[in-house]
Amino acid sequence: MRVLIIGYGSMGKRRIRLLQKLVKDPEICCVDSNPQRQEDIRQAGLTCYADLEQALQDPFDLAFVCTSPGHHADIILALVRHGIHVFTELNLIDDGYDEIQEAAKDSGSVVFMSSTMLYNKQIEKIDQLVRQTKGPLTYIYHIGQYLPDWHPWESYKDFFIGKKETNGVREIYAIQLPWIIHTFGKIKSLSANKQRCTGLDIDFNDSILASFTHENGNIGVFAADTVSRKAVTSLEVIGENLHLFWNGHNDDLRIYDYKEARMVNLEVYDHVEHEEGYADNINENQYADEIQDFLNTVYQHTVPRYSLEEDKYTLSIINQIEGV
């Protein structure tokens, strides 16, 4: 199996590391225009290309697009036109989706859209509990982290989260909305309040409060910000027969047992893989499961959990939230 990794940043390295665990002796090559990363690729014993055009002179079975989330469309198009199956990381702009779908259909290539939260075991458990609960539910969800703390080793102005088109609040919604929509239902209507809370050198609203009415009667509020000086994930799901709490970690999913009048911890992981250097709430399991789903889609013709069409819908919701 010959695999091309486009972008040797943190996500590119993660995909390589996990792919080497999942597949026996994959032949991995990388594309990156950064000279220092090119040297790092060679030091890792991998074949390096300076650009995609050079790489595509050689044959590949699979490709992982791990570049910044505002610049995927042209890369994906070039890959599928060469008959390569593509795994693409999170997108924040839906430019070229229709063209990509048409090109993939013509070439028979799989285009697999990453949506890592759908592979989180706690999210799967939340989804199960919500679906088996009778009656409408209300949820309150808050995710926030101060923008300069996302990548403290570099300026937020040099990172895609500091740019209007691919800003950090937009990324939070793009990561989380796929599972929210999958679990609570498609969104019938929404409203949003937004503002700037920081003095950072940005040109987007860094705090957004979105209120959703779902087609099935559920309602929810989703607050996303790049303001919170202490990083926070907080979910509460409220219903007559379900009261659920989650703070985003691998061991803190809880429900209130109203018959016994006590909180109950829900254990969903037997073992959590964690990579040194990442926050303690980030486990490797969900990323590995996602890659395995991509491989199953390519080689066993299974249906992936998330599609390009669904991502187009998600981004349309985000555009409404931002008022684009």
Side-chain angles (χ1 to χ4, degrees):
M1 179 189 295
R2 299 197 78 236
V3 183
L4 184 63
I5 307 291
I6 300 100
Y8 195 67
S10 61
M11 286 308 301
K13 293 174 184 176
R14 169 181 270 151
R15 298 302 179 184
I16 291 170
R17 181 173 64 249
L18 294 173
L19 192 63
Q20 289 172 331
K21 293 180 180 179
L22 291 169
V23 177
K24 185 178 180 180
D25 300 325
E27 183 181 348
I28 297 176
C29 305
C30 300
V31 176
D32 203 297
S33 60
N34 183 293
Q36 181 57 58
R37 286 184 177 177
Q38 290 173 12
E39 182 59 29
D40 293 341
I41 292 167
R42 296 186 187 98
Q43 290 292 324
L46 304 173
T47 301
C48 177
Y49 300 97
D51 57 55
L52 184 60
E53 184 178 357
Q54 180 188 29
L56 289 178
Q57 294 177 19
D58 295 328
F60 290 96
D61 303 300
L62 310 175
F64 287 75
V65 180
C66 305
T67 55
S68 296
H71 308 284
H72 288 173
D74 289 342
I75 296 171
I76 297 169
L77 275 170
L79 292 166
V80 297
R81 285 169 177 164
H82 279 75
I84 300 169
H85 302 295
V86 179
F87 179 110
T88 176
E89 300 290 357
L90 177 77
N91 286 329
L92 294 179
I93 299 173
D94 65 357
D95 290 350
Y97 271 36
D98 292 340
E99 192 175 358
I100 288 169
Q101 288 176 309
E102 190 65 32
K105 182 180 178 181
D106 290 343
S107 67
S109 297
V110 167
V111 178
F112 186 98
M113 169 58 62
S114 170
S115 187
T116 310
M117 293 299 293
L118 288 171
Y119 298 83
N120 181 289
K121 297 300 182 186
Q122 291 174 307
I123 295 299
E124 290 178 354
K125 186 63 176 180
I126 293 168
D127 181 81
Q128 176 192 346
L129 291 168
V130 167
R131 289 175 183 271
Q132 70 185 27
T133 300
K134 294 182 180 179
L137 295 168
T138 298
Y139 62 87
I140 303 167
Y141 199 22
H142 173 214
I143 295 183
Q145 184 180 21
Y146 190 50
L147 195 69
D149 292 343
W150 286 39
H151 277 195
W153 58 86
E154 64 180 330
S155 170
Y156 64 87
K157 290 186 283 188
D158 299 328
F159 188 25
F160 69 83
I161 58 165
K163 297 177 172 54
K164 183 176 182 179
E165 296 78 9
T166 56
N167 69 79
V169 176
R170 187 175 179 88
E171 185 180 46
I172 290 172
Y173 278 118
I175 292 171
Q176 303 293 332
L177 275 178
W179 84 260
I180 289 286
I181 292 167
H182 182 265
T183 297
F184 293 100
K186 279 198 163 187
I187 293 170
K188 179 180 179 181
S189 62
L190 67 86
S191 61
N193 289 317
K194 45 217 160 188
Q195 66 177 2
R196 284 276 306 279
C197 291
T198 68
L200 298 175
D201 185 15
I202 56 176
D203 59 352
F204 58 88
N205 291 303
D206 53 26
S207 183
I208 298 181
L209 187 68
S211 179
F212 302 129
T213 298
H214 296 268
E215 291 180 354
N216 56 15
N218 295 322
I219 61 172
V221 173
F222 187 170
D225 71 72
T226 56
V227 181
S228 299
R229 298 309 297 257
K230 181 183 183 301
V232 59
T233 296
S234 176
L235 172 68
E236 184 174 2
V237 180
I238 306 156
E240 186 177 18
N241 300 304
L242 176 66
H243 201 175
L244 179 149
F245 304 84
W246 184 49
N247 290 322
H249 294 272
N250 301 313
D251 58 356
D252 62 5
L253 179 60
R254 299 172 297 152
I255 59 170
Y256 181 70
D257 184 337
Y258 53 86
K259 294 179 181 178
E260 298 290 334
R262 64 188 182 92
M263 297 297 295
V264 177
N265 288 332
L266 302 178
E267 301 292 338
V268 298
Y269 284 106
D270 295 326
H271 174 68
V272 172
E273 294 283 345
H274 180 260
E275 184 69 15
E276 191 68 29
Y278 287 95
D280 61 4
N281 66 321
I282 298 178
N283 70 67
E284 297 285 275
N285 306 56
Q286 57 200 15
Y287 295 96
D289 290 346
E290 189 175 39
I291 293 174
Q292 186 61 61
D293 196 21
F294 171 51
L295 297 174
N296 292 345
T297 302
V298 171
Y299 295 110
Q300 298 180 24
H301 310 293
T302 57
V303 178
R305 297 190 187 185
Y306 193 60
S307 68
L308 215 61
E309 192 63 37
E310 288 171 305
D311 195 59
K312 186 176 180 180
Y313 172 76
T314 298
L315 292 174
S316 75
I317 296 297
I318 299 171
N319 288 342
Q320 291 181 56
I321 293 169
E322 288 190 328
V324 173

mmCIF file of all heavy atoms in Angstrom, residues 226-268:
data_model
loop_
_atom_site.group_PDB
_atom_site.id
_atom_site.type_symbol
_atom_site.label_atom_id
_atom_site.label_comp_id
_atom_site.label_asym_id
_atom_site.label_seq_id
_atom_site.Cartn_x
_atom_site.Cartn_y
_atom_site.Cartn_z
ATOM 1 N N THR A 226 -13.356 31.862 21.661
ATOM 2 C CA THR A 226 -11.895 31.805 21.766
ATOM 3 C C THR A 226 -11.442 32.833 22.797
ATOM 4 O O THR A 226 -10.451 33.532 22.621
ATOM 5 C CB THR A 226 -11.232 32.067 20.397
ATOM 6 O OG1 THR A 226 -11.681 33.329 19.882
ATOM 7 C CG2 THR A 226 -11.585 30.975 19.399
ATOM 8 N N VAL A 227 -12.211 32.904 23.889
ATOM 9 C CA VAL A 227 -12.010 33.900 24.944
ATOM 10 C C VAL A 227 -11.635 33.246 26.272
ATOM 11 O O VAL A 227 -10.832 33.780 27.043
ATOM 12 C CB VAL A 227 -13.291 34.747 25.137
ATOM 13 C CG1 VAL A 227 -13.077 35.806 26.209
ATOM 14 C CG2 VAL A 227 -13.722 35.390 23.830
ATOM 15 N N SER A 228 -12.196 32.072 26.563
ATOM 16 C CA SER A 228 -12.067 31.423 27.873
ATOM 17 C C SER A 228 -10.603 31.217 28.250
ATOM 18 O O SER A 228 -9.876 30.478 27.582
ATOM 19 C CB SER A 228 -12.786 30.075 27.868
ATOM 20 O OG SER A 228 -14.158 30.227 27.621
ATOM 21 N N ARG A 229 -10.186 31.866 29.333
ATOM 22 C CA ARG A 229 -8.796 31.748 29.753
ATOM 23 C C ARG A 229 -8.499 30.360 30.315
ATOM 24 O O ARG A 229 -7.366 29.897 30.270
ATOM 25 C CB ARG A 229 -8.455 32.831 30.781
ATOM 26 C CG ARG A 229 -8.599 34.258 30.248
ATOM 27 C CD ARG A 229 -7.869 34.465 28.922
ATOM 28 N NE ARG A 229 -6.450 34.285 29.012
ATOM 29 C CZ ARG A 229 -5.529 35.275 29.043
ATOM 30 N NH1 ARG A 229 -5.942 36.530 28.989
ATOM 31 N NH2 ARG A 229 -4.258 35.011 29.097
ATOM 32 N N LYS A 230 -9.500 29.702 30.857
ATOM 33 C CA LYS A 230 -9.382 28.291 31.213
ATOM 34 C C LYS A 230 -10.165 27.501 30.168
ATOM 35 O O LYS A 230 -11.358 27.724 29.992
ATOM 36 C CB LYS A 230 -9.947 28.015 32.606
ATOM 37 C CG LYS A 230 -9.826 26.556 33.036
ATOM 38 C CD LYS A 230 -10.469 26.327 34.397
ATOM 39 C CE LYS A 230 -10.266 24.878 34.850
ATOM 40 N NZ LYS A 230 -10.850 23.902 33.898
ATOM 41 N N ALA A 231 -9.489 26.613 29.452
ATOM 42 C CA ALA A 231 -10.172 25.836 28.420
ATOM 43 C C ALA A 231 -11.333 25.066 29.032
ATOM 44 O O ALA A 231 -11.208 24.464 30.102
ATOM 45 C CB ALA A 231 -9.194 24.872 27.763
ATOM 46 N N VAL A 232 -12.476 25.090 28.344
ATOM 47 C CA VAL A 232 -13.671 24.488 28.910
ATOM 48 C C VAL A 232 -14.460 23.721 27.858
ATOM 49 O O VAL A 232 -14.576 24.155 26.705
ATOM 50 C CB VAL A 232 -14.575 25.561 29.567
ATOM 51 C CG1 VAL A 232 -15.001 26.611 28.544
ATOM 52 C CG2 VAL A 232 -15.799 24.948 30.229
ATOM 53 N N THR A 233 -14.952 22.556 28.255
ATOM 54 C CA THR A 233 -15.970 21.814 27.515
ATOM 55 C C THR A 233 -17.024 21.424 28.526
ATOM 56 O O THR A 233 -16.709 20.792 29.545
ATOM 57 C CB THR A 233 -15.398 20.545 26.855
ATOM 58 O OG1 THR A 233 -14.429 20.909 25.885
ATOM 59 C CG2 THR A 233 -16.503 19.741 26.173
ATOM 60 N N SER A 234 -18.263 21.796 28.284
ATOM 61 C CA SER A 234 -19.320 21.528 29.252
ATOM 62 C C SER A 234 -20.627 21.262 28.522
ATOM 63 O O SER A 234 -21.128 22.122 27.800
ATOM 64 C CB SER A 234 -19.492 22.721 30.202
ATOM 65 O OG SER A 234 -20.578 22.521 31.086
ATOM 66 N N LEU A 235 -21.154 20.052 28.702
ATOM 67 C CA LEU A 235 -22.417 19.675 28.079
ATOM 68 C C LEU A 235 -23.404 19.233 29.160
ATOM 69 O O LEU A 235 -23.055 18.457 30.051
ATOM 70 C CB LEU A 235 -22.213 18.510 27.100
ATOM 71 C CG LEU A 235 -23.487 17.880 26.513
ATOM 72 C CD1 LEU A 235 -24.192 18.854 25.572
ATOM 73 C CD2 LEU A 235 -23.158 16.584 25.783
ATOM 74 N N GLU A 236 -24.625 19.724 29.053
ATOM 75 C CA GLU A 236 -25.711 19.254 29.896
ATOM 76 C C GLU A 236 -26.913 18.967 28.997
ATOM 77 O O GLU A 236 -27.298 19.807 28.182
ATOM 78 C CB GLU A 236 -26.082 20.287 30.959
ATOM 79 C CG GLU A 236 -27.159 19.818 31.929
ATOM 80 C CD GLU A 236 -27.410 20.805 33.068
ATOM 81 O OE1 GLU A 236 -26.759 21.876 33.082
ATOM 82 O OE2 GLU A 236 -28.267 20.516 33.927
ATOM 83 N N VAL A 237 -27.460 17.772 29.102
ATOM 84 C CA VAL A 237 -28.649 17.374 28.350
ATOM 85 C C VAL A 237 -29.779 17.170 29.352
ATOM 86 O O VAL A 237 -29.628 16.433 30.334
ATOM 87 C CB VAL A 237 -28.410 16.082 27.546
ATOM 88 C CG1 VAL A 237 -29.666 15.697 26.779
ATOM 89 C CG2 VAL A 237 -27.235 16.259 26.580
ATOM 90 N N ILE A 238 -30.910 17.821 29.097
ATOM 91 C CA ILE A 238 -31.981 17.900 30.084
ATOM 92 C C ILE A 238 -33.280 17.372 29.492
ATOM 93 O O ILE A 238 -33.731 17.820 28.434
ATOM 94 C CB ILE A 238 -32.193 19.364 30.529
ATOM 95 C CG1 ILE A 238 -30.877 19.972 31.028
ATOM 96 C CG2 ILE A 238 -33.281 19.461 31.598
ATOM 97 C CD1 ILE A 238 -30.834 21.479 30.936
ATOM 98 N N GLY A 239 -33.857 16.400 30.174
ATOM 99 C CA GLY A 239 -35.152 15.872 29.787
ATOM 100 C C GLY A 239 -35.826 15.230 30.980
ATOM 101 O O GLY A 239 -35.200 15.003 32.023
ATOM 102 N N GLU A 240 -37.088 14.914 30.849
ATOM 103 C CA GLU A 240 -37.819 14.317 31.969
ATOM 104 C C GLU A 240 -37.235 12.963 32.360
ATOM 105 O O GLU A 240 -37.234 12.586 33.534
ATOM 106 C CB GLU A 240 -39.294 14.162 31.600
ATOM 107 C CG GLU A 240 -40.157 13.681 32.764
ATOM 108 C CD GLU A 240 -41.626 13.597 32.399
ATOM 109 O OE1 GLU A 240 -41.945 13.582 31.185
ATOM 110 O OE2 GLU A 240 -42.456 13.551 33.329
ATOM 111 N N ASN A 241 -36.706 12.248 31.365
ATOM 112 C CA ASN A 241 -36.182 10.903 31.615
ATOM 113 C C ASN A 241 -34.677 10.791 31.419
ATOM 114 O O ASN A 241 -34.132 9.687 31.440
ATOM 115 C CB ASN A 241 -36.890 9.900 30.699
ATOM 116 C CG ASN A 241 -38.388 9.887 30.927
ATOM 117 O OD1 ASN A 241 -38.837 9.669 32.047
ATOM 118 N ND2 ASN A 241 -39.156 10.152 29.876
ATOM 119 N N LEU A 242 -34.021 11.914 31.207
ATOM 120 C CA LEU A 242 -32.569 11.901 31.031
ATOM 121 C C LEU A 242 -31.983 13.223 31.497
ATOM 122 O O LEU A 242 -32.421 14.290 31.083
ATOM 123 C CB LEU A 242 -32.209 11.684 29.543
ATOM 124 C CG LEU A 242 -30.720 11.751 29.201
ATOM 125 C CD1 LEU A 242 -29.956 10.595 29.845
ATOM 126 C CD2 LEU A 242 -30.506 11.749 27.686
ATOM 127 N N HIS A 243 -30.990 13.139 32.379
ATOM 128 C CA HIS A 243 -30.221 14.313 32.786
ATOM 129 C C HIS A 243 -28.762 13.900 32.752
ATOM 130 O O HIS A 243 -28.303 13.099 33.572
ATOM 131 C CB HIS A 243 -30.626 14.790 34.182
ATOM 132 C CG HIS A 243 -30.261 16.206 34.447
ATOM 133 N ND1 HIS A 243 -30.612 16.879 35.592
ATOM 134 C CD2 HIS A 243 -29.570 17.124 33.695
ATOM 135 C CE1 HIS A 243 -30.156 18.120 35.546
ATOM 136 N NE2 HIS A 243 -29.515 18.279 34.396
ATOM 137 N N LEU A 244 -28.048 14.438 31.774
ATOM 138 C CA LEU A 244 -26.693 13.981 31.438
ATOM 139 C C LEU A 244 -25.709 15.127 31.545
ATOM 140 O O LEU A 244 -26.037 16.274 31.207
ATOM 141 C CB LEU A 244 -26.712 13.401 30.023
ATOM 142 C CG LEU A 244 -25.427 12.879 29.400
ATOM 143 C CD1 LEU A 244 -25.753 11.732 28.445
ATOM 144 C CD2 LEU A 244 -24.694 13.986 28.623
ATOM 145 N N PHE A 245 -24.484 14.808 31.966
ATOM 146 C CA PHE A 245 -23.432 15.811 32.129
ATOM 147 C C PHE A 245 -22.129 15.274 31.539
ATOM 148 O O PHE A 245 -21.794 14.102 31.731
ATOM 149 C CB PHE A 245 -23.201 16.131 33.615
ATOM 150 C CG PHE A 245 -24.423 16.589 34.352
ATOM 151 C CD1 PHE A 245 -25.325 15.660 34.871
ATOM 152 C CD2 PHE A 245 -24.678 17.941 34.534
ATOM 153 C CE1 PHE A 245 -26.463 16.076 35.563
ATOM 154 C CE2 PHE A 245 -25.813 18.358 35.225
ATOM 155 C CZ PHE A 245 -26.700 17.426 35.732
ATOM 156 N N TRP A 246 -21.395 16.139 30.854
ATOM 157 C CA TRP A 246 -20.082 15.747 30.302
ATOM 158 C C TRP A 246 -19.191 16.978 30.259
ATOM 159 O O TRP A 246 -19.604 18.041 29.800
ATOM 160 C CB TRP A 246 -20.252 15.167 28.893
ATOM 161 C CG TRP A 246 -18.983 14.649 28.283
ATOM 162 C CD1 TRP A 246 -18.076 13.819 28.854
ATOM 163 C CD2 TRP A 246 -18.492 14.924 26.956
ATOM 164 N NE1 TRP A 246 -17.054 13.540 27.981
ATOM 165 C CE2 TRP A 246 -17.287 14.208 26.812
ATOM 166 C CE3 TRP A 246 -18.966 15.693 25.892
ATOM 167 C CZ2 TRP A 246 -16.534 14.246 25.634
ATOM 168 C CZ3 TRP A 246 -18.223 15.727 24.732
ATOM 169 C CH2 TRP A 246 -17.019 15.011 24.598
ATOM 170 N N ASN A 247 -17.943 16.822 30.727
ATOM 171 C CA ASN A 247 -16.979 17.924 30.702
ATOM 172 C C ASN A 247 -15.825 17.682 29.743
ATOM 173 O O ASN A 247 -14.755 18.275 29.874
ATOM 174 C CB ASN A 247 -16.447 18.196 32.112
ATOM 175 C CG ASN A 247 -17.510 18.805 33.003
ATOM 176 O OD1 ASN A 247 -18.316 19.621 32.558
ATOM 177 N ND2 ASN A 247 -17.538 18.402 34.263
ATOM 178 N N GLY A 248 -16.043 16.786 28.778
ATOM 179 C CA GLY A 248 -15.102 16.647 27.685
ATOM 180 C C GLY A 248 -13.934 15.720 27.916
ATOM 181 O O GLY A 248 -13.112 15.531 27.012
ATOM 182 N N HIS A 249 -13.823 15.140 29.098
ATOM 183 C CA HIS A 249 -12.718 14.228 29.380
ATOM 184 C C HIS A 249 -13.153 12.783 29.154
ATOM 185 O O HIS A 249 -14.333 12.495 28.936
ATOM 186 C CB HIS A 249 -12.201 14.437 30.800
ATOM 187 C CG HIS A 249 -11.561 15.781 30.997
ATOM 188 N ND1 HIS A 249 -10.226 16.026 30.747
ATOM 189 C CD2 HIS A 249 -12.084 16.963 31.384
ATOM 190 C CE1 HIS A 249 -9.955 17.291 30.996
ATOM 191 N NE2 HIS A 249 -11.068 17.889 31.377
ATOM 192 N N ASN A 250 -12.205 11.878 29.217
ATOM 193 C CA ASN A 250 -12.481 10.489 28.869
ATOM 194 C C ASN A 250 -13.151 9.699 29.987
ATOM 195 O O ASN A 250 -13.509 8.540 29.791
ATOM 196 C CB ASN A 250 -11.171 9.791 28.468
ATOM 197 C CG ASN A 250 -10.512 10.472 27.292
ATOM 198 O OD1 ASN A 250 -11.161 10.772 26.302
ATOM 199 N ND2 ASN A 250 -9.212 10.725 27.388
ATOM 200 N N ASP A 251 -13.302 10.321 31.167
ATOM 201 C CA ASP A 251 -13.819 9.572 32.313
ATOM 202 C C ASP A 251 -14.883 10.342 33.106
ATOM 203 O O ASP A 251 -15.121 10.046 34.274
ATOM 204 C CB ASP A 251 -12.670 9.198 33.261
ATOM 205 C CG ASP A 251 -11.913 10.417 33.776
ATOM 206 O OD1 ASP A 251 -12.230 11.547 33.347
ATOM 207 O OD2 ASP A 251 -11.005 10.233 34.609
ATOM 208 N N ASP A 252 -15.498 11.352 32.482
ATOM 209 C CA ASP A 252 -16.412 12.188 33.266
ATOM 210 C C ASP A 252 -17.813 12.310 32.660
ATOM 211 O O ASP A 252 -18.505 13.294 32.858
ATOM 212 C CB ASP A 252 -15.822 13.575 33.493
ATOM 213 C CG ASP A 252 -15.572 14.344 32.204
ATOM 214 O OD1 ASP A 252 -15.939 13.833 31.133
ATOM 215 O OD2 ASP A 252 -15.023 15.450 32.277
ATOM 216 N N LEU A 253 -18.241 11.289 31.937
ATOM 217 C CA LEU A 253 -19.608 11.239 31.436
ATOM 218 C C LEU A 253 -20.504 10.706 32.559
ATOM 219 O O LEU A 253 -20.269 9.612 33.093
ATOM 220 C CB LEU A 253 -19.698 10.340 30.202
ATOM 221 C CG LEU A 253 -21.084 10.166 29.577
ATOM 222 C CD1 LEU A 253 -21.655 11.495 29.119
ATOM 223 C CD2 LEU A 253 -21.014 9.177 28.411
ATOM 224 N N ARG A 254 -21.538 11.471 32.924
ATOM 225 C CA ARG A 254 -22.376 11.112 34.063
ATOM 226 C C ARG A 254 -23.858 11.333 33.732
ATOM 227 O O ARG A 254 -24.189 12.222 32.951
ATOM 228 C CB ARG A 254 -22.022 11.955 35.294
ATOM 229 C CG ARG A 254 -20.586 11.805 35.785
ATOM 230 C CD ARG A 254 -20.285 12.821 36.863
ATOM 231 N NE ARG A 254 -20.393 14.189 36.341
ATOM 232 C CZ ARG A 254 -20.713 15.261 37.070
ATOM 233 N NH1 ARG A 254 -20.978 15.123 38.366
ATOM 234 N NH2 ARG A 254 -20.772 16.454 36.527
ATOM 235 N N ILE A 255 -24.691 10.511 34.335
ATOM 236 C CA ILE A 255 -26.132 10.760 34.277
ATOM 237 C C ILE A 255 -26.670 10.780 35.709
ATOM 238 O O ILE A 255 -26.064 10.201 36.627
ATOM 239 C CB ILE A 255 -26.901 9.705 33.454
ATOM 240 C CG1 ILE A 255 -26.711 8.296 34.033
ATOM 241 C CG2 ILE A 255 -26.511 9.765 31.996
ATOM 242 C CD1 ILE A 255 -27.632 7.265 33.407
ATOM 243 N N TYR A 256 -27.788 11.466 35.871
ATOM 244 C CA TYR A 256 -28.436 11.512 37.178
ATOM 245 C C TYR A 256 -29.499 10.423 37.236
ATOM 246 O O TYR A 256 -30.441 10.409 36.434
ATOM 247 C CB TYR A 256 -29.070 12.879 37.418
ATOM 248 C CG TYR A 256 -29.731 13.013 38.771
ATOM 249 C CD1 TYR A 256 -28.967 13.059 39.933
ATOM 250 C CD2 TYR A 256 -31.120 13.068 38.887
ATOM 251 C CE1 TYR A 256 -29.570 13.167 41.181
ATOM 252 C CE2 TYR A 256 -31.733 13.183 40.122
ATOM 253 C CZ TYR A 256 -30.940 13.223 41.261
ATOM 254 O OH TYR A 256 -31.530 13.325 42.511
ATOM 255 N N ASP A 257 -29.300 9.487 38.158
ATOM 256 C CA ASP A 257 -30.290 8.432 38.386
ATOM 257 C C ASP A 257 -31.360 9.003 39.310
ATOM 258 O O ASP A 257 -31.185 9.065 40.531
ATOM 259 C CB ASP A 257 -29.600 7.217 39.021
ATOM 260 C CG ASP A 257 -30.550 6.028 39.196
ATOM 261 O OD1 ASP A 257 -31.783 6.255 39.254
ATOM 262 O OD2 ASP A 257 -30.062 4.896 39.282
ATOM 263 N N TYR A 258 -32.471 9.444 38.707
ATOM 264 C CA TYR A 258 -33.497 10.135 39.503
ATOM 265 C C TYR A 258 -34.261 9.180 40.419
ATOM 266 O O TYR A 258 -34.834 9.598 41.424
ATOM 267 C CB TYR A 258 -34.465 10.911 38.601
ATOM 268 C CG TYR A 258 -35.099 10.113 37.493
ATOM 269 C CD1 TYR A 258 -36.259 9.372 37.703
ATOM 270 C CD2 TYR A 258 -34.549 10.121 36.216
ATOM 271 C CE1 TYR A 258 -36.849 8.660 36.682
ATOM 272 C CE2 TYR A 258 -35.126 9.397 35.190
ATOM 273 C CZ TYR A 258 -36.275 8.666 35.423
ATOM 274 O OH TYR A 258 -36.851 7.956 34.396
ATOM 275 N N LYS A 259 -34.236 7.882 40.102
ATOM 276 C CA LYS A 259 -34.894 6.916 40.984
ATOM 277 C C LYS A 259 -34.099 6.708 42.267
ATOM 278 O O LYS A 259 -34.672 6.544 43.345
ATOM 279 C CB LYS A 259 -35.081 5.594 40.254
ATOM 280 C CG LYS A 259 -36.047 5.681 39.079
ATOM 281 C CD LYS A 259 -36.175 4.350 38.361
ATOM 282 C CE LYS A 259 -37.125 4.470 37.170
ATOM 283 N NZ LYS A 259 -37.228 3.188 36.419
ATOM 284 N N GLU A 260 -32.760 6.717 42.126
ATOM 285 C CA GLU A 260 -31.888 6.535 43.287
ATOM 286 C C GLU A 260 -31.395 7.871 43.840
ATOM 287 O O GLU A 260 -30.723 7.903 44.876
ATOM 288 C CB GLU A 260 -30.689 5.669 42.911
ATOM 289 C CG GLU A 260 -31.041 4.255 42.453
ATOM 290 C CD GLU A 260 -31.547 3.395 43.585
ATOM 291 O OE1 GLU A 260 -31.178 3.671 44.755
ATOM 292 O OE2 GLU A 260 -32.328 2.462 43.320
ATOM 293 N N ALA A 261 -31.702 8.961 43.140
ATOM 294 C CA ALA A 261 -31.274 10.311 43.540
ATOM 295 C C ALA A 261 -29.762 10.392 43.721
ATOM 296 O O ALA A 261 -29.249 10.879 44.732
ATOM 297 C CB ALA A 261 -31.984 10.751 44.817
ATOM 298 N N ARG A 262 -29.035 9.926 42.669
ATOM 299 C CA ARG A 262 -27.569 9.979 42.746
ATOM 300 C C ARG A 262 -26.980 10.066 41.337
ATOM 301 O O ARG A 262 -27.619 9.688 40.350
ATOM 302 C CB ARG A 262 -27.016 8.750 43.457
ATOM 303 C CG ARG A 262 -27.267 7.427 42.741
ATOM 304 C CD ARG A 262 -26.858 6.233 43.581
ATOM 305 N NE ARG A 262 -27.068 4.978 42.865
ATOM 306 C CZ ARG A 262 -26.135 4.377 42.114
ATOM 307 N NH1 ARG A 262 -24.917 4.919 41.997
ATOM 308 N NH2 ARG A 262 -26.414 3.239 41.505
ATOM 309 N N MET A 263 -25.758 10.593 41.268
ATOM 310 C CA MET A 263 -25.041 10.664 40.001
ATOM 311 C C MET A 263 -24.377 9.319 39.713
ATOM 312 O O MET A 263 -23.848 8.668 40.621
ATOM 313 C CB MET A 263 -23.983 11.757 40.041
ATOM 314 C CG MET A 263 -24.538 13.157 40.236
ATOM 315 S SD MET A 263 -25.613 13.707 38.876
ATOM 316 C CE MET A 263 -24.442 13.757 37.534
ATOM 317 N N VAL A 264 -24.384 8.920 38.443
ATOM 318 C CA VAL A 264 -23.779 7.655 38.024
ATOM 319 C C VAL A 264 -22.755 7.937 36.927
ATOM 320 O O VAL A 264 -23.086 8.569 35.912
ATOM 321 C CB VAL A 264 -24.852 6.677 37.498
ATOM 322 C CG1 VAL A 264 -24.198 5.390 37.004
ATOM 323 C CG2 VAL A 264 -25.890 6.382 38.579
ATOM 324 N N ASN A 265 -21.521 7.474 37.120
ATOM 325 C CA ASN A 265 -20.490 7.590 36.086
ATOM 326 C C ASN A 265 -20.686 6.508 35.038
ATOM 327 O O ASN A 265 -20.945 5.339 35.381
ATOM 328 C CB ASN A 265 -19.093 7.454 36.697
ATOM 329 C CG ASN A 265 -18.697 8.668 37.509
ATOM 330 O OD1 ASN A 265 -19.160 9.776 37.247
ATOM 331 N ND2 ASN A 265 -17.859 8.461 38.495
ATOM 332 N N LEU A 266 -20.550 6.879 33.770
ATOM 333 C CA LEU A 266 -20.674 5.933 32.668
ATOM 334 C C LEU A 266 -19.295 5.677 32.078
ATOM 335 O O LEU A 266 -18.689 6.574 31.474
ATOM 336 C CB LEU A 266 -21.621 6.481 31.594
ATOM 337 C CG LEU A 266 -23.047 6.808 32.045
ATOM 338 C CD1 LEU A 266 -23.844 7.381 30.888
ATOM 339 C CD2 LEU A 266 -23.732 5.566 32.605
ATOM 340 N N GLU A 267 -18.783 4.477 32.265
ATOM 341 C CA GLU A 267 -17.472 4.106 31.738
ATOM 342 C C GLU A 267 -17.650 3.546 30.333
ATOM 343 O O GLU A 267 -18.392 2.591 30.129
ATOM 344 C CB GLU A 267 -16.808 3.064 32.639
ATOM 345 C CG GLU A 267 -16.593 3.522 34.072
ATOM 346 C CD GLU A 267 -15.549 4.620 34.190
ATOM 347 O OE1 GLU A 267 -14.714 4.734 33.271
ATOM 348 O OE2 GLU A 267 -15.566 5.349 35.201
ATOM 349 N N VAL A 268 -16.953 4.122 29.369
ATOM 350 C CA VAL A 268 -17.099 3.667 27.982
ATOM 351 C C VAL A 268 -15.790 3.179 27.376
ATOM 352 O O VAL A 268 -15.795 2.503 26.350
ATOM 353 C CB VAL A 268 -17.694 4.781 27.091
ATOM 354 C CG1 VAL A 268 -19.082 5.172 27.560
ATOM 355 C CG2 VAL A 268 -16.791 6.011 27.063
#
